[in-house]
Amino acid sequence: MRRTALLASAALLTALIPLTAAGAASGADDPAPVPVDRFEGEVPFAAQPADGIFTWGGDADDPPALRLADRPDAPEGAKVLTGTYDISGYGGFTHDFAADRPAHDWSAYQGISFWWDGRNNGRKTAFEIKDGGTGGEASELWTTSFTDDFSGWKQIRIPFDDFTYRTDYQPVGGIDHVLGLTQMWGYAVTLPVGVQGGFAMDDVELYGRADQSRRASVTTDAAVYPVKGGGTARVGVTVATTGSAPLGEPVTVAYITGGGTAVPGSDYTPIRGTLTFPAGTPSGATRTIEVRTLRNRTAEPAGTVPLALTVTGAKAPAETPQVVVDAHGLPYLDSGLPVRRRVADLLSRMSPEEKAGQMTQAERAGLTTPGDIAAYGLGSLLSGGGSTPTPNTPEAWAQMIDSFQLRSRATRFQIPLIYGVDAVHGHNNLAGATVMPHNIGIGATRDPQLAEKTGAVTASEVRATGIPWDFAPCLCVSRDERWGRSYESFGEDPALVQSMETVVQGLQGRADGRDLSRDDKVLATAKHFAGDGGTAYGSSTTGSYTIDQGVTTVTRQQLDAVHLAPFRTAVDRGIGSVMPSYSSLDILGDGRGPVKMHARGDMINGELKGRMGFDGFVISDWNAIDQLPGDYGSQVRTAVDAGVDMMMVPYTYKDFRSTLVDEVRAGRITERRIDDAVSRILTQKFRLGLFEHPYADTRGAAAIGSAGHRAVARQAAAESQVLLKNAGGVLPLKKSQKVYVAGSNADDLGNQTGGWTLTWQGQSGTHTPGTTVLQAMRKAGGDITYSPTASAPLTGYDVGVVVVGETPYAEGVGDVGNGHDLALSAADRAAVDRVCGAMKCAVLIVSGRPQLIGDRLGEIDALVASWLPGTEGNGIADVLYGRRPFTGQLPVTWPKSEAQLPINVGDASYDPQFPYGWGLTTLTRVPAGGLTTLKALTRAASAAERAGSARAGRETVTRARLIVQQKAGPTPAAAVSKPFADADHLLLTGRYTAALAELTRAYRAAD
């Protein structure tokens, strides 16, 4: 899933006049505004740590051009801030306050205002403020927007209550997720994308007075109180003060029931009264209000009983608490009925608005208020990459999701939410979770049983935090390693991807869905349908991306054989949901040209739901419908009609829901289509057992990050290691050897885990528990000296180990040409040269894709593709020191040069550095006998094929592969590489005899 990010310093702007003088107007009902920036030249165009305005953008052309201009019509003073822009990715400007001075206190004010010279272009402009932290570039971003639908100067006034915490990008990992307003560092403006434009702005200032009762507040212990008819709801009312001081004056809370959907006297006993907290009451004191409900034997939906609170002397609760008399007696609530009947009954009772709500998914931090869950009847929430609770613990996740689930109880039919996360290599949003190797490494293991085990560990850790839905696995077939998502793929061969789809059973359990209600299983998502791994380099039109979200151009036969095949397998395995790709598909000969996948009804309705028989539901990618042509109504209509059942609309959930209802009422989307979508969503919610058990079952939380789970990740890390070269038997190492360790990735857990780890893009450094390669080698008992840059003396060592490779990235941000390439960094090259020039050496490449190493291959004795192995570096030490053999095989072709890309198994012209399927082994004797042995293995393979013995077939091909690799040596020729790679594809498709024939051909070519 894509996350549109401000990857530059998306900071906020500043104040020119000290705000400590703002209290001068405290006696007035409407105090004078307090200046933040007049744009008269007091604030320079500069950057931190000084006060200053600066610009930023996605590439060199995106930052706007700014100047201070004299304007006779300036709202204040003589000058205004003006600028021009033409932004393809993202861009804007920031005013940061000086970080070497105290932050500003805005807590006494109602909001922030500025003058904007409207162009009436209808475009939204984002406005952010920076709260907390140590400076403008290390603060929390809080955001809102305004629409330029006017001409000429207009004062924009934004109450602080309108700002929401940004989840798609934060410069830090989160401070407290509370807009405190006492440590403000400035503001920022993000300008519209895709149009040339200009702007003028003037007079940023603080306005209004904050509620004088701000320092005392009344809260309730919950917002919703579900209770069975006849039960009593107990509402805890608490008073608290800033700094926990006792109340200086009395606080009264008058309460009264009424105004909801429940019937007084029939569903509950009405009450009214007053609670008094006298002066001197300690902060945190609580009183209880009891609301008694009445038993009603008539089957009916849930009824709400608002408890209106009128508070004097303190800030009132943000919303009115509601007692809810649970729905009862309706057929859909009967767990003994078949799911199909329950779905039909519930669907027949729902309004168009309720159905539209079920088709709507919002980002949890994008909610204007949690009450919107019930107000809009939302069907789903998600956490995008890095969207986590504070603290980021299993307990906090479960509590957060339970609090959201509680809100759904205030709807008529109490339909539970389905909460989703991108747990793409373990529960990677959770600090302390077991982080598996990325899919590229799992593909290298060639171990379907292990793939299933990694899925099972992931599912159990995800479900134990209250999350029933995982946006994984990615079933893309990566055909070009310049793609920033290539590590999300199991490999370049559809047969390899299909073989690894055992992970679906690890996540979901049995294919018929009967295990989904277990506390250790989750609904899985096959993504991205279909062809995202085949996009052509240079075809992307998204910002500065070069290949991600581009165009896949294929014949119908290629589409079926390469990109659709993994989804057929996923459907056969009972996959519960499918996510379309951002990319476009251009099927040669169909006359349509490139069409976005979210608009391809022929693929979603026709192929997926029709020919494949998929009975789950289709969830869009992050804001993907915004990339479709036409106005918003057309975008919604196109995606829904194409077969997308639920829309991931992180921040625009209100607009989507209302637009969908309008489209249905106007007859532009049929009710039948809506009913189909909602039926599919409800079916999975029933299968997951959410109606009976909506809240987190945390019994499995103790196993999160446990030794048992980490043992699976350790095994996966070990089996994913691909030994590409091993001249002189440098590996395995001996514990008696003195080992010199160097390189940027030897001791960096963040680089080792890669993107999609705690944050969307990932980050270098240590941010979750785990073991680096260096730490693991030391724990294995090795005699280790570590010098990151190989600057320490190089004499006196038996062998060197240099661990190099990439730093984290995700999606199009990692595309080659978008600030990335396939070459080692200068520092890594220097470390390799120093160590390998002084001693025998092994080079480990920690990366999401092959790195171009051919120019140094001669000086390297042993070369290992380590991929992105996750948190368990012990698995790497296991193979380095011979505790386990090297058994991994290349899941993608390793190129000699970038000019060869794309290069894949099956290509007519095929001359790589190392072919697909290549992988030396240790601790295993290579069979002797050459051609004679290969002939015997061919007979054995034929017998295995006739007998249907996959195990025997694989063993014969594996033995033959070792013979060929030994004969070919460290630089296999093209005549060897092509049949060698083809043999591995044949092995995966069960054609063992044909695989032996290709390996025999490769052996002969090695002469």
Side-chain angles (χ1 to χ4, degrees):
M1 285 170 27
R2 169 176 169 255
R3 299 292 179 272
T4 303
L6 285 185
L7 298 175
S9 301
L12 305 165
L13 296 175
T14 93
L16 300 175
I17 299 175
L19 300 182
T20 52
S26 60
D29 292 335
D30 188 13
V34 176
V36 174
D37 196 346
R38 300 296 199 195
F39 300 118
E40 297 301 308
E42 300 91 335
V43 175
F45 291 103
Q48 289 277 27
D51 275 345
I53 299 172
F54 60 93
T55 63
W56 36 262
D59 57 37
D61 297 329
D62 281 352
L66 302 183
R67 65 189 180 93
L68 298 177
D70 287 314
R71 283 275 293 263
D73 61 344
E76 190 283 332
K79 298 180 184 294
V80 301
L81 179 68
T82 66
T84 57
Y85 58 89
D86 183 5
I87 301 168
S88 60
Y90 61 87
F93 61 92
T94 290
H95 180 186
D96 272 353
F97 301 150
D100 59 355
R101 291 193 288 252
H104 296 257
D105 185 348
W106 292 359
S107 62
Y109 305 96
Q110 181 183 353
I112 190 167
S113 69
F114 52 89
W115 287 86
W116 191 263
D117 187 13
R119 309 300 169 95
N120 202 20
N121 57 25
R123 304 301 292 261
K124 286 187 176 181
T125 297
F127 187 89
E128 296 174 345
I129 54 178
K130 295 186 171 187
D131 176 61
T134 58
E137 301 306 289
S139 60
E140 287 183 345
L141 302 184
W142 290 76
T143 185
T144 187
S145 65
F146 64 94
T147 302
D148 188 340
D149 55 1
F150 54 92
S151 297
W153 289 108
K154 178 181 178 180
Q155 189 176 39
I156 308 295
R157 297 173 67 113
I158 306 174
F160 291 131
D161 289 344
D162 284 359
F163 286 90
T164 58
Y165 181 83
R166 278 194 65 171
T167 58
D168 56 343
Y169 171 72
Q170 287 286 339
V172 292
I175 297 167
D176 59 10
H177 293 217
V178 174
L179 182 56
L181 296 173
T182 58
Q183 285 189 293
M184 304 304 297
W185 293 104
Y187 63 90
V189 176
T190 302
L191 295 163
V193 176
V195 292
Q196 290 185 345
F199 75 92
M201 182 181 185
D202 199 13
D203 194 20
V204 182
E205 58 190 17
L206 306 177
Y207 73 90
R209 185 187 306 281
D211 188 340
Q212 292 303 302
S213 59
R214 189 168 194 154
R215 291 168 179 77
S217 61
V218 168
T219 59
T220 57
D221 53 351
V224 178
Y225 298 83
V227 62
K228 295 183 185 298
T232 298
R234 293 174 175 83
V235 180
V237 180
T238 300
V239 66
T241 62
T242 302
S244 299
L247 291 179
E249 57 186 37
V251 171
T252 60
V253 182
Y255 58 87
I256 184 171
T257 54
T261 58
V263 180
S266 174
D267 294 321
Y268 69 98
T269 301
I271 60 169
R272 66 187 307 159
T274 300
L275 300 177
T276 300
F277 296 88
T281 298
S283 179
T286 299
R287 307 279 191 272
T288 301
I289 301 171
E290 293 189 347
V291 180
R292 292 179 175 82
T293 66
L294 303 174
R295 193 179 304 278
N296 188 333
R297 298 187 180 278
T298 304
E300 58 186 7
T304 57
V305 185
L307 181 64
L309 304 178
T310 303
V311 178
T312 302
K315 186 177 181 180
E319 57 188 304
T320 299
Q322 294 187 83
V323 174
V324 179
V325 185
D326 286 341
H328 56 278
L330 300 173
Y332 78 90
L333 295 169
D334 185 353
S335 61
L337 292 177
V339 167
R340 185 170 60 180
R341 284 188 58 188
R342 298 178 75 183
V343 169
D345 176 70
L346 178 52
L347 190 69
S348 70
R349 301 174 186 278
M350 296 171 68
S351 69
E353 289 79 7
E354 288 165 327
K355 293 175 182 177
Q358 286 301 299
M359 296 173 66
T360 306
Q361 183 185 64
E363 154 65 45
R364 61 106 197 170
L367 293 171
T368 303
T369 170
D372 283 352
I373 294 170
Y376 294 91
L378 299 181
S380 180
L381 294 180
L382 84 150
S383 279
S387 177
T388 66
T390 301
N392 188 357
T393 63
E395 297 78 13
W397 275 95
Q399 291 168 7
M400 176 185 74
I401 294 167
D402 280 356
S403 72
F404 293 141
Q405 201 67 270
L406 179 64
R407 300 293 187 146
S408 71
R409 310 303 291 171
T411 59
R412 275 206 308 163
F413 300 114
Q414 299 182 304
I415 302 172
L417 293 165
I418 179 170
Y419 199 100
V421 294
D422 288 279
V424 298
H425 62 140
H427 195 354
N428 44 257
N429 269 316
L430 171 65
T434 306
V435 179
M436 302 290 172
H438 269 294
N439 282 355
I440 193 72
I442 300 298
T445 70
R446 295 299 200 280
D447 189 340
Q449 291 182 327
L450 178 58
E452 183 172 352
K453 287 166 66 177
T454 63
V457 168
T458 298
S460 66
E461 295 198 2
V462 169
R463 194 70 183 257
T465 56
I467 301 167
W469 186 14
D470 184 4
F471 304 129
C474 185
L475 302 183
C476 54
V477 182
S478 176
R479 307 292 284 178
D480 189 334
E481 275 56 63
R482 289 172 291 189
W483 188 34
R485 301 195 84 134
S486 58
Y487 64 75
E488 295 186 51
S489 171
F490 291 114
E492 70 186 32
D493 183 354
L496 175 57
V497 176
Q498 288 173 286
S499 72
M500 293 294 108
E501 290 186 52
T502 50
V503 70
V504 174
Q505 264 55 68
L507 292 166
Q508 290 195 169
R510 286 170 286 188
D512 60 6
R514 73 177 74 177
D515 296 329
L516 283 173
S517 61
R518 285 172 35 177
D519 65 358
D520 62 347
K521 295 299 174 189
V522 296
L523 194 75
T525 307
K527 64 183 189 183
H528 302 89
F529 183 84
D532 57 335
T535 51
Y537 190 78
S539 66
S540 180
T541 57
T542 299
S544 56
Y545 295 2
T546 58
I547 186 168
D548 189 35
Q549 303 183 29
V551 179
T552 299
T553 302
V554 286
T555 65
R556 180 64 206 215
Q557 183 181 10
Q558 290 169 332
L559 177 64
D560 288 343
V562 176
H563 300 293
L564 290 179
F567 290 93
R568 283 193 289 271
T569 300
V571 171
D572 291 343
R573 288 186 172 276
I575 196 79
S577 65
V578 170
M579 181 183 292
S581 174
Y582 280 117
S583 57
S584 299
L585 181 62
D586 185 359
I587 303 175
L588 296 174
D590 74 353
R592 300 181 64 185
V595 179
K596 285 283 185 181
M597 278 304 309
H598 282 74
R600 291 213 70 135
D602 59 328
M603 291 289 108
I604 301 173
N605 286 326
E607 286 292 331
L608 180 64
K609 294 181 176 179
R611 294 178 186 85
M612 296 183 193
F614 173 62
D615 64 358
F617 69 92
V618 176
I619 170 70
S620 86
D621 210 329
W622 178 282
N623 275 336
I625 62 172
D626 291 353
Q627 295 190 5
L628 301 182
D631 60 20
Y632 195 59
S634 175
Q635 292 169 332
V636 170
R637 184 167 63 251
T638 297
V640 172
D641 283 346
V644 183
D645 301 306
M646 181 185 286
M647 298 297 168
M648 189 184 294
V649 280
Y651 305 101
T652 57
Y653 57 93
K654 298 177 187 177
D655 291 342
F656 169 74
R657 179 181 177 273
S658 63
T659 300
L660 179 57
V661 171
D662 290 345
E663 291 294 308
V664 173
R665 285 185 170 155
R668 292 185 289 268
I669 298 177
T670 66
E671 292 185 20
R672 180 178 179 181
R673 170 69 192 104
I674 298 301
D675 286 352
D676 171 63
V678 177
S679 294
R680 289 170 176 271
I681 295 164
L682 294 177
T683 295
Q684 299 302 342
K685 290 186 176 184
F686 279 118
R687 286 177 175 172
L688 285 162
L690 296 177
F691 281 82
E692 288 70 46
H693 303 288
Y695 302 116
D697 183 340
T698 59
R699 288 176 294 179
I704 293 173
S706 65
H709 286 184
R710 291 184 184 273
V712 174
R714 179 175 183 166
Q715 179 186 353
E719 292 190 25
S720 72
Q721 302 301 293
V722 181
L723 183 59
L724 298 172
K725 179 182 177 182
N726 195 24
V730 169
L731 296 177
L733 303 172
K734 299 178 180 62
K735 292 183 181 178
S736 60
Q737 291 176 307
K738 293 186 67 177
V739 183
Y740 188 103
V741 178
S744 60
N745 284 349
D747 195 33
D748 194 306
L749 196 63
N751 292 355
Q752 190 174 302
T753 53
W756 288 108
T757 308
L758 289 189
T759 59
W760 173 38
Q761 291 294 314
Q763 59 187 27
S764 301
T766 301
H767 43 59
T768 193
T771 306
T772 66
V773 176
L774 174 69
Q775 292 167 339
M777 292 177 69
R778 285 175 169 160
K779 288 169 70 174
D783 184 354
I784 305 297
T785 295
Y786 174 52
S787 177
T789 60
S791 57
L794 292 159
T795 56
Y797 295 95
D798 299 306
V799 65
V801 175
V802 190
V803 189
V804 295
E806 296 185 300
T807 55
Y809 55 80
E811 301 191 36
V813 176
D815 286 352
V816 167
N818 189 18
H820 295 266
D821 57 37
L822 299 181
L824 297 179
S825 69
D828 279 349
R829 294 195 299 271
V832 170
D833 292 344
R834 290 191 190 108
V835 176
C836 295
M839 65 192 79
K840 291 181 179 180
C841 73
V843 173
L844 277 60
I845 300 180
V846 174
S847 64
R849 53 198 169 193
Q851 303 291 285
L852 303 175
I853 197 72
D855 60 340
R856 283 170 170 75
L857 193 56
E859 65 186 76
I860 296 170
D861 297 291
L863 179 64
V864 179
S866 291
W867 310 113
L868 298 171
T871 52
E872 305 314 298
N874 290 318
I876 300 175
D878 287 342
V879 293
L880 288 179
Y881 278 98
R883 186 173 183 269
R884 290 177 178 268
F886 278 92
T887 57
Q889 296 175 245
L890 283 181
V892 295
T893 300
W894 198 284
K896 290 180 176 177
S897 69
E898 191 174 323
Q900 287 186 311
L901 296 173
I903 182 171
N904 295 287
V905 57
D907 288 354
S909 176
Y910 191 75
D911 183 21
Q913 191 78 66
F914 297 104
Y916 169 78
W918 188 266
L920 307 177
T921 191
T922 52
L923 312 183
T924 300
R925 185 178 64 85
V926 177
L931 284 174
T932 301
T933 302
L934 288 174
K935 288 178 181 179
L937 289 172
T938 300
R939 291 192 294 271
S942 179
E945 201 168 326
R946 289 194 304 271
S949 175
R951 179 176 179 179
R954 288 195 300 271
E955 287 177 352
T956 58
V957 176
T958 297
R959 294 177 69 193
R961 184 173 61 82
L962 297 178
I963 295 171
V964 174
Q965 287 181 148
Q966 185 181 64
K967 180 77 176 297
T971 55
V976 174
S977 292
K978 181 169 175 52
F980 185 92
D982 290 343
D984 201 59
H985 170 74
L986 291 166
L987 165 64
L988 289 165
T989 57
R991 291 174 284 177
Y992 312 120
T993 308
L996 259 294
E998 292 299 318
L999 288 171
T1000 301
R1001 185 175 295 111
Y1003 184 87
R1004 292 182 187 277
D1007 287 332

